[in-house]
Amino acid sequence: MRNALHLIAGSLVEGGSGGFDSLNPSEPTQIVAKAPLGTDAEVALAVNAASEAFESWRKTPGPGKAERLYAWAEAIQARAAELAEAIATEVGKPIGEAKGEVGRCVAILRYYAGEPVRPSGDVIPGLANGILQYSLREPLGVVGLITPWNFPMAIPLWKAAPALAMGNTIVLKPSEHSALCAHLLAETAVAAGLKGEFNVVQGAGPAGSALVQHPDVKAISFTGSDATGAKISVACAQLNKKFQTEMGGKNVAIVLADADLAQAANLVAAGAMRFAGQKCTATSRVVVESSVSGKFIEELKKAIDGLPVGNPLEMATAVGPVINQASYDKLNAAVKQGETIHQVAAPNTGYFVSPTVLGGVGPEHDLAQNELFGPVLTYLEAGSLDEALTIANQTRFGLSASLCTRDIRAALTYIDRIQAGMVRVNADTTGVDPHAPFGGMKGSSSGTREQGAVAKDFYTQYKTVQINP
Ligand code: ADP
């Protein structure tokens, strides 16, 4: 058991009204970390530290900012094994994927370390001769980041790295289910020489809400449930703060009759079941062309059976537990709503849920409409690509989608018609390159995209300058 602390002005500190425990979802009697429950007071201290750091950070020349981000990447790399183990223990992510997440953190920091010295802005012709007109990107100031537990290090960093690169300073409110991961991330920031530029307030919803409300916080970047995202959007709109929200999905994989069915089954099984289906981009519906349904189901069963369920600390494990009791209860109740096509046994300790494929429901059913965030896949059939696309688009979400086919014309039709931000062909719905834009359509996201070069759009505002010599 560790103590997970706040990070304020470069110091790891206690404080707040009471505390909370972060539990090991594989063995919930085990407390992974005890953390202080941040309140308005800690949020105010952290925002104050970030405000004080802002002027000098914003004026730090590009190479100086780059140096800090490279140093942060090195500090994470130096503790990679320990950080991956913490992710596996605290949120139940299989260790292979947890290591991948830590590697991704390093890649994100290295990618954005180059940004402060890359060209920025445009020279724009003036209406009159001899006028110099150009656009200039400026940082926003103190930015609030509110993050979930499922990528407990990568999500905070894919927000923090571009924010810092563009000259902002930060207060992060991580999920209460990943307090240790946030604490360790804070330790690596300190090791990299960051002080008030990056602050962390541990706590639950009220600390996030205090961050949104604080008058010196200029923008909020949020990832989490659509219910919380909606509240944050309303609050930010009322306060005229810039915001972006990344929320749920009901991500679809379409399998056409001409696809390599064994390959398609592996992609669908991996997308739906790995990390117990707890990625925002996890596959939660599969729509299969009816003529190959029987054959595909046989392949899918084999593929799911090939994904070991068990202890996230073991390298072979593909499916660990779900995050908490509420999620466990919700999933076990949902499984009863459909007809079981396939189910794999899971350990009956902790929050393990059996990987399950459910059928017997139509595209309008709850199981095909609402996010479950667990290893439960809803099976649907369609008579044609056209019908499959109609079903695929028939939800309020639009984060990620996949099509399995060998037909380039079918692929192009799908790319044109699918309502999703992340569009994959013969690839599963999960797994996104950290330097490519990430985000969804419809109810999945709001604001500008995250990651890649477009992340700059959120963390900067333009000045348009005209000089008449
Ligand atoms: P998840 O189901 O992934 O935990 P949540 O939306 O509940 O998603 O949580 C995501 C993040 O939002 C967490 O850091 C959580 O503490 C925070 N949060 C929850 N409620 C609020 C709120 N009303 N205002 C701001 N942040 C909140």
Side-chain angles (χ1 to χ4, degrees), residues 9-22:
S11 299
L12 289 154
V13 294
E14 309 237 5
S17 69
F20 63 97
D21 297 337
S22 171

Side-chain angles (χ1 to χ4, degrees), residues 4-15 36 42 45-46 49-50 182-183 186-187 189-191 193-202:
L5 302 172
H6 308 300
L7 172 64
I8 298 176
S11 299
L12 289 154
V13 294
E14 309 237 5
E42 288 69 43
L45 287 172
H183 174 89
E187 284 186 355
V190 173
L194 287 163
K195 297 201 168 65
E197 297 89 357
F198 177 76
N199 304 274
V200 180
V201 177
Q202 302 275 6

